[in-house]
Structures are given as structure tokens and as C-alpha cells.
Amino acid sequence: MIKVGIIGVGTVGTSVVNILKDNADVISARAGVDIVVKSGVVKNLSKDRGLDIILTDNVDDILNDDEIDIVVELMGGVEEPLEVVKRALKGGKAVVTANKALLAYHRYELAELAKDIAFEYEAAVAGGIPIINALRDGLSANHIESIMGIMNGTCNYMMTKMTNEGVAYDDILKESQELGYAEADPSFDVGGYDAAHKLLILASIAYGIDAKPEDILIEGIEHVTQDDISFAKEFGYAIKLLGIAKKDGNEVELRVHACLISQNEMIAKIDGVMNGISVVGDKVGETLYYGPGAGGDATASAVVANIIDIARSGKSTPMLGFDKPMEGKQLTLKPTENIESKYYLRINVSDRTGVLAKITKVFEENNISVETMLQRQASTGSANLLISTHTALERDIQKMIKEIVSLDFVNSTPVMIRMV
């Protein structure tokens, strides 16, 4: 019998307990052994959770219990879970976590500490979608050319409603908070940081890149308006918050931001709170993974799958997918300023003669070629210029935006959205 201790018996932790109980027959058959939750750690012991397990408010009751084989960490946060996980590994206990923030900052430290002890984290990226095992095991014969995906259901829900129903950003943000999709402080989701944590984990498995959130380009969806959505629709695009990893020679670019993506792409068709991730391998081509990115049962499904894996075989796969570095082919992070993309810009200007010519001149001086340009009335005496470019360097577009802001007829900082 395998005994499990759960540190953090909230929504997901409760679902883990219930799945192991409700599906005990098929789980035991697949694992080859019975798996039970012995105990769990909660903050409030007076709250009735309706669970038939031992509850405690002291992590030592699990970490020091020799009967517990697997510690499931579902606490949230970074520093406290880090110490708990380190203690569990040092005590020889296998670990399963859903903590993406912990892994975004400390995955290599924990991989080094774990060594031959099983450490699994499928639920940390895209909830119930088995993207970790697919990338780490199923696609292990491939050089990974690119990863691109919708990795945050809150942002995808908001962009879907804005696109399909014409809802304003502030209104849909309020609705998302009322529905429980967005937190009272929504910046972690709408600012792109949640998706960035997940992208960094995938990039380690695909490329061996040890980057932190501070090292990569992270933007959110806060600046997207109906003007931008209207432009996107007119030219056959959808706007999505995407996490993107792309190999270019010996460099890998990592970025999270709102994107204009062709409506013909499968990723563009993924709506609501669902997640979807495209992975391109040099031998297999494109593979696509779709499903619920959050929710108690969906996330717990991934946690329990990891528990079953450990019960079956202990540790059989390197935590981050590599047993050793690739000799002479170590990949490095591409500097943000060297990223190439097409760009869309919305520039609010005073509606007067000569403005268009002056804007076009600034583009030319910065080696940026305009592909399409529309003018839309914004308010009395002002207009929005909606412009898409051919491929340009990030440093050139940023330099150009600074120059445009200084022009006396430009009323605010231009909004820029990259295109893929």
C-alpha cells in the first residue's frame, strides 16, 4: 500500500482525496497497489471538509511520518512550499506538486536535490492537460522547434467574451472576478505572469533553459480594446494571450504577451476558460493539446496521475527531461531586443493635416515597413491609426514607439500587440 500526505487540503487537495477514493478500483488496477491518503495539512481545523482522513495544521505531522511515501504539495506561494518540498526530498519522500510559481523559480535547485527521488508536477502546467508527460516522454525523440499556447484560462475567457460579445475590458474583468475566474487582484493572470511561469517550466523540458520570469518578455491583455479586436477581425486575426517558445539556431526566445494570430490556426479557435498548447517537433511535426487548464477535479486528475506513476515505478524519468546536457549544443536565451515579429500598433493622434505623413516617416527612419493602415475616428478632434507591420526587430519597434510618443500630435503612448 502507498500512503499519501497532502499539504494544503483546499479545492484541489479535496478533489485528490475524493478521486483516490471514488476511483480506487481502477487506480489500484493501474498502479498495481492500493493508494490511500493518510493525512492532510489545513490552516483551519474547525472547517468541516467531509473527508475521512487525518487532518492537522502542522506540516511536521506529515514530513516526519515514516508511513507516508508521497508528499503532495498544494500550498501555493513560493518560499514556504520550497522549504516544505526540500524537507520532504531530504527525508526521502517522493513529491508531487501543482505549484507553478515554485517551479518557475526553483526547478533546477529542486531537480538537483531530488536526484533519484521521484518529483512530479504535471498539474503545474495547464491543469488537466498531460502536457508535461507528452513533452518530457512522448516527444523525447524530437528536437522541439516551438511551443505556443493558451496557458491561462482567465485571460482566454476574457478575450473570448470581448471578441464574441463586444464586452469592454473593465466589464469582463469585473464579471470574471464575480465568477471566480479572476482574483480580487487580477494582475497575476491578466498581466501574463501565470502563463510565464508555465512557459518557463515547459522551456526547461524542451530546451534545458534555466530562465527566471525576470529574464523574459512578459506582457498582459490590460491594454486591449474593441478597436484592436475590430482590426484583428477585419484582417482575419484573433487576439489571444500566448506563451511562446521558439528555437532559432542555438538560441531560444521566450515570451508571453497578447498576440494577433490567424483565425485559421487551431489555437485561435480555443475559447472560454480552456487551454491549448501546440508543440512542434522536428520529426513528429505539430501536435496539439487541449483541455481544462484549471478547476479542482481537472487539476487533481493530473496530481493523481503523478501519484500513480510514482506508485508504478518510483522514478523512471528525469525531472526536467534531461539526464545530461547536450554536448556542444547547449541552448541559450535569446535577448528580448533581438526577437523578430510582425507588429500591430494603435496610435491616437490629433486629427489634422500632415499627421499620417509624419508617422510614416518615423516608421521609415526606423527600418519598419508598414503592411496595412486604417484610420478610425476616436473622439472629437482625434483619430486612431491602426497599423500592422512586416517583420521587424523588437529593439527597432521599441525605439520607434519612444520617438512617436514625443511627437506633439500624438495624444498617448501607442498600444503595440505582436503578431504571429
Side-chain angles (χ1 to χ4, degrees):
M1 177 180 290
I2 297 291
K3 293 187 178 181
V4 176
I6 302 175
I7 302 179
V9 188
T11 301
V12 176
T14 299
S15 289
V16 169
V17 176
N18 289 332
I19 289 172
L20 285 170
K21 180 180 178 181
D22 295 344
N23 291 356
D25 53 351
V26 70
I27 288 170
S28 295
R30 287 173 171 161
V33 63
D34 290 339
I35 302 172
V36 298
V37 177
K38 178 181 181 183
S39 56
V41 174
V42 297
K43 290 183 179 179
N44 182 6
L45 282 171
S46 64
K47 181 179 178 181
D48 182 12
R49 292 168 171 79
L51 300 176
D52 187 21
I53 64 171
I54 299 167
L55 293 177
T56 175
D57 58 4
N58 187 348
V59 297
D60 289 342
D61 292 338
I62 286 180
L63 296 178
N64 296 333
D65 187 341
D66 292 337
E67 288 190 351
I68 289 178
D69 306 290
I70 302 173
V71 172
V72 176
E73 184 277 306
L74 301 171
M75 302 170 68
V78 176
E79 296 309 318
E80 187 179 1
L82 175 63
E83 293 309 310
V84 166
V85 169
K86 287 167 70 174
R87 285 183 59 194
L89 292 172
K90 288 176 181 177
K93 298 183 186 300
V95 171
V96 176
T97 183
N99 194 329
K100 53 190 170 288
L102 171 66
L103 295 171
Y105 284 97
H106 298 290
R107 58 197 182 280
Y108 281 91
E109 176 186 353
L110 292 173
E112 179 63 26
L113 182 61
K115 294 187 182 298
D116 293 328
I117 300 170
F119 188 120
E120 298 294 340
Y121 50 96
E122 183 66 70
V125 181
I129 303 173
I131 185 62
I132 299 296
N133 280 343
L135 189 59
R136 190 175 60 179
D137 299 324
L139 299 176
S140 57
N142 290 256
H143 287 286
I144 303 301
E145 302 294 337
S146 67
I147 301 168
M148 180 172 68
I150 295 167
M151 303 180 191
N152 182 272
T154 299
C155 287
N156 203 45
Y157 173 80
M158 292 174 63
M159 290 308 309
T160 299
K161 296 280 278 190
M162 289 174 70
T163 300
N164 294 346
E165 301 179 21
V167 183
Y169 174 84
D170 289 340
D171 293 335
I172 192 57
L173 175 58
K174 182 179 178 182
E175 179 186 317
S176 299
Q177 290 170 320
E178 291 171 351
L179 291 170
Y181 295 148
E183 301 292 338
D185 177 5
S187 56
F188 189 68
D189 287 315
V190 300
Y193 300 101
D194 173 77
H197 289 171
K198 298 168 184 175
L199 180 68
L200 288 167
I201 295 168
L202 297 182
S204 287
I205 299 169
Y207 307 111
I209 292 286
D210 183 9
K212 302 292 191 292
E214 294 79 10
D215 300 329
I216 69 171
L217 173 62
I218 305 173
E219 294 178 4
I221 62 169
E222 305 99 318
H223 57 284
V224 179
T225 71
Q226 286 299 324
D227 284 323
D228 309 319
I229 291 170
S230 176
F231 176 93
K233 286 181 177 178
E234 187 165 345
F235 290 93
Y237 292 95
I239 300 180
K240 299 287 187 181
L241 181 81
L242 296 181
I244 298 172
K246 190 184 301 182
K247 186 164 75 74
D248 181 13
N250 288 327
E251 291 185 318
V252 176
E253 61 183 66
L254 298 178
R255 46 193 172 113
V256 173
H257 49 74
C259 286
L260 272 77
I261 179 171
S262 171
Q263 293 174 359
N264 295 324
E265 295 286 343
M266 289 300 296
I267 292 292
K269 304 179 192 300
I270 294 173
D271 286 341
V273 296
M274 305 304 279
N275 283 195
I277 301 174
S278 164
V279 180
V280 178
D282 64 338
K283 300 303 180 183
V284 72
E286 182 178 21
T287 57
L288 184 67
Y289 307 86
Y290 168 85
D297 283 350
T299 304
S301 171
V303 171
V304 173
N306 281 160
I307 294 171
I308 294 170
D309 286 342
I310 293 170
R312 281 171 170 166
S313 57
K315 179 181 173 66
S316 59
T317 301
M319 176 187 159
L320 294 173
F322 290 88
D323 260 329
K324 63 178 184 178
M326 291 187 293
E327 295 181 9
K329 293 184 178 180
Q330 195 68 28
L331 300 174
T332 59
L333 184 65
K334 177 181 278 192
T336 297
E337 61 269 20
N338 292 342
I339 290 172
E340 290 185 306
S341 179
K342 291 184 176 183
Y343 296 85
Y344 157 85
L345 294 102
R346 170 167 42 89
I347 308 171
N348 185 262
V349 297
S350 299
D351 192 3
R352 64 191 199 213
T353 304
V355 165
L356 200 55
K358 291 177 181 177
I359 288 288
T360 302
K361 183 179 180 182
V362 175
F363 273 74
E364 292 174 352
E365 290 173 346
N366 285 279
N367 302 313
I368 296 169
S369 174
V370 172
E371 183 171 6
T372 59
M373 180 181 293
L374 298 176
Q375 181 171 324
R376 295 283 188 265
Q377 193 69 30
S379 59
T380 302
S382 72
N384 282 328
L385 300 180
L386 310 176
I387 302 169
S388 67
T389 76
H390 292 284
T391 301
L393 278 169
E394 182 76 17
R395 63 169 173 265
D396 291 339
I397 210 83
Q398 296 293 350
K399 177 176 176 290
M400 184 192 70
I401 289 173
K402 289 180 180 178
E403 293 179 14
I404 287 175
V405 170
S406 67
L407 299 173
D408 62 0
F409 54 80
V410 174
N411 300 321
S412 59
T413 302
V415 168
M416 178 268 283
I417 304 177
R418 295 163 191 86
M419 306 172 70
V420 294

